[in-house]
Amino acid sequence: MKKTHLLLTAGILAAGHTVQSQDSARISELSTYTVTATKFAKKLGETGKVVTIIGNRQIGQNLGRSVADVLNETTGIVIGGVYSNPGKNREVYFRGATSQYTTILMDGIPVADATGLTGNAIDLRFLPIDQVERIEILRGTQTTLYGADAIAGVINIIMKKGGNKPVNVFGDLMFGSNRTMKGSLGLRGKQDNIDYNIAFTHFSTDGITEAAKPDTVKDVFDRDGYRQNGLNATVGIQATENFRVQPFLFYSDYKSRFDGGSFVDSRINKNKSDFLHSGVRTQYDIGTKGKVYGNFAYQRVNRFDETGWDTTHLDGRSYFGEAYGHYDLTNWLQALAGVEYRQADMVNADELDKTWDVHSQNTVSPYASLFLKNFHGFNLELGGRYTVHNKYGNKFTYTINPSYVFSDKLKVFATVASGFKAPTLTSLYSQYGNPDLKAEHADSYEAGIQTYLLKNKLDLRVVGFKRNIKDQISYINYKYINFNQQKDKGVEVEVSARPVEKLLIKASYAYVDGQVTTQNAAGKDTTYSNLVRRPNHTGQIDLAYQATKGLFVGTSVRHTGTRGDLYYAPNAWTAESIQLEAYTIWNAYAEYNFGKAKIFLHANNITNNKKYWEIYGYSVLGFNMQSGVSFSF
């Protein structure tokens, strides 16, 4: 296995980098703008944050897939369940941390799930990729700007909005393996001072059996189907020359069938869930030197599970309000300040158990940052946030992020940041909860370089990080507990090369390791690796070739290293540790663009590799295809 890792790493260092876009040969140049790194538009060369941008063109090359598929191909991110049945829940592992340590935004506003299926993070199955314009991924602890959950990183999903003409019709239609069908249809446009976007997506598949069938079982396991609908509506109103209002509504629901656990089939288990995200964004321009923003959002997640043993109804509601602004104090000094309010409610929707009605928690958080901008090549961010939590008291967190750019060809950067995270309502009050849990406190360190060589034909970024979480919360043997400390560390290597104009070679390699410290029965500290389902080694190599003006072809090979899993046998209350072997998946893509329409084809797992476990006891997709057409006119 070590030989495989060495060969993979050597291939990556020789080949190229996963800059998650093919919009340009030099998409990661220091002149590229990001809105997520500092909450306002800023060049990558003016910030030391580590940002990956998934552009509109790559989104368009994944219409037959999902948001989870795209994120899984990003350096340092592993999506658990992405190769399983489409209805299987997706777990985000960002730099070795579980979903609860990643903040997911929609157009800059946090989207949360107070029902706690994956911590506070929103369920990725709710998000149709057809309605996404762009994704920005911000690595490392970002609590100062984005609050408590942003300890591993931030994923900002930017949705489609109005166009440049009065009416633009767009959509796609796709068919694939396992009787899969997906279609979307939308309208977008702009007339006078109003722009709009409204789109609907439907997805359905018969899927595969969620649980793997043991060789000793003669019965046939049935397919576990999945259906999803999504609606995205946004209106932008330029009320005055300087003031803009943007009400929005996003609604998504899905229905799925699921099995009874590892190696356990079920023909009656079913789930239906829905997610509502609505609110308004406002923006006021202060001349050319700054802007003031006001955002409000209400989110509700309903989940209804029905099994042969029980029914469960979960109702989670989240409220978010924020006002902030940025201003250019001088040509080289910028300031940002704001205040944020969050509230999460978990409502008891069980008609048979009315022992409680609502559990709730809230925070008020003022924050501020100063940005030194291109002062003779030097950039610096100094920021702090003061969080007032209604149950866990007050906590100050900070960010120190210096960087230096040499002649627009080399950037060196470092970050020291702290984080604070209170227990979720689920970890406190669910049937497996623990009301005595302590809040978590994180310290994060990061450093790296990014350079552009050979007239920007070669792009290299190397980042090392370390993250320590005190009183880390984990779910062990059907109970939430605090460990003494969680220590994670890792390295990410990304390279891209364009040897000729039409060929782009990209690759990435990520290493992560983590250990937890706790106490044994004798009261002594013990340390052991606990990155369940998270490999130490991952890597990917991509080739993209623009054969003609209309014809584009690409292929990728992704390797996932060995990792551990926990197996709960039927009726067992203690988990068994399982070692899962490494595996490699080969995919390919082709499209032909006619201008206002294109046809596309995805071929996934070309070698039909089924001899591996992604999650122990659950089936994996073999070779599968999706083909279809998309249009915009």
Side-chain angles (χ1 to χ4, degrees), residues 33-52:
Y33 279 89
T34 172
V35 296
T36 310
T38 56
K39 302 193 79 162
F40 61 95
K42 200 167 188 57
K43 292 181 181 179
L44 289 176
E46 296 173 355
T47 175
K49 302 289 183 66
V50 182
V51 181
T52 296

Side-chain angles (χ1 to χ4, degrees), residues 120-424:
N120 277 337
I122 198 65
D123 187 345
L124 292 177
R125 289 173 293 182
F126 283 128
L127 307 178
I129 198 163
D130 315 69
Q131 301 180 25
V132 175
E133 182 77 20
R134 172 185 174 97
I135 301 175
E136 294 191 3
I137 298 168
L138 179 58
R139 305 171 192 280
T141 298
Q142 309 295 334
T143 296
T144 296
L145 292 182
Y146 291 107
D149 297 334
I151 289 177
V154 173
I155 299 172
N156 189 9
I157 298 173
I158 299 169
M159 308 299 286
K160 290 181 178 179
K161 299 178 183 64
N164 296 320
K165 58 184 183 178
V167 179
N168 177 222
V169 182
F170 62 93
D172 58 76
L173 182 62
M174 180 275 294
F175 296 93
S177 304
N178 303 314
R179 295 184 64 182
T180 297
M181 187 279 288
K182 182 172 68 65
S184 70
L185 184 64
L187 288 173
R188 61 195 302 189
K190 180 178 182 180
Q191 182 71 46
D192 298 327
N193 64 328
I194 298 177
D195 59 84
Y196 65 93
N197 179 91
I198 181 168
F200 174 79
T201 297
H202 173 77
F203 174 84
S204 65
T205 180
D206 285 355
I208 59 176
T209 174
E210 184 177 87
K213 187 174 78 70
D215 294 335
T216 56
V217 174
K218 296 182 179 180
D219 294 339
V220 176
F221 282 18
D222 68 322
R223 294 174 179 260
D224 296 295
Y226 176 74
R227 306 287 185 273
Q228 189 226 358
N229 298 296
L231 173 68
N232 178 43
T234 304
V235 177
I237 305 169
Q238 195 69 39
T240 69
E241 184 179 355
N242 295 331
F243 184 56
R244 177 176 172 82
V245 180
Q246 188 179 71
F248 62 87
L249 183 146
F250 178 86
Y251 177 82
S252 180
D253 65 36
Y254 66 78
K255 296 180 181 180
S256 65
R257 293 192 173 276
F258 62 96
D259 283 330
S262 301
F263 301 112
V264 179
D265 188 32
S266 172
R267 296 177 181 269
I268 60 174
N269 290 0
K270 58 185 178 181
N271 162 271
K272 60 180 180 180
S273 299
D274 62 77
F275 168 52
L276 172 66
H277 172 52
S278 61
V280 62
R281 303 179 189 89
T282 63
Q283 175 183 309
Y284 184 81
D285 294 350
I286 310 172
T288 59
K289 290 183 174 291
K291 292 181 173 66
V292 176
Y293 304 86
N295 298 323
F296 171 78
Y298 166 75
Q299 295 143 21
R300 181 174 181 177
V301 176
N302 267 302
R303 297 189 182 279
F304 184 88
D305 290 343
E306 182 178 343
T307 70
W309 298 96
D310 198 5
T311 60
T312 303
H313 185 188
L314 301 175
D315 182 348
R317 305 174 191 184
S318 303
Y319 306 84
F320 176 83
E322 179 182 40
Y324 70 97
H326 67 88
Y327 192 79
D328 294 345
L329 300 174
T330 69
N331 290 334
W332 47 268
L333 185 63
Q334 300 170 304
L336 178 140
V339 62
E340 172 192 289
Y341 174 80
R342 296 195 198 192
Q343 179 176 321
D345 296 343
M346 186 166 66
V347 180
N348 186 357
D350 190 345
E351 295 297 331
L352 300 179
D353 177 13
K354 284 297 183 181
T355 56
W356 56 272
D357 291 321
V358 178
H359 286 304
S360 181
Q361 60 183 7
N362 64 73
T363 60
V364 177
S365 306
Y367 59 90
S369 292
L370 281 176
F371 304 92
L372 189 66
K373 166 185 157 185
N374 195 22
F375 189 73
H376 304 290
F378 182 67
N379 304 282
L380 175 66
E381 176 183 345
L382 296 175
R385 173 183 288 249
Y386 190 73
T387 301
V388 181
H389 195 284
N390 70 318
K391 179 176 174 63
Y392 288 93
N394 308 335
K395 178 66 178 177
F396 176 76
T397 54
Y398 65 87
T399 296
I400 304 172
N401 177 220
S403 63
Y404 191 85
V405 177
F406 299 86
S407 303
D408 292 329
K409 296 296 181 182
L410 172 66
K411 181 172 75 170
V412 295
F413 52 88
T415 301
V416 179
S418 64
F420 163 79
K421 177 175 174 57
T424 65

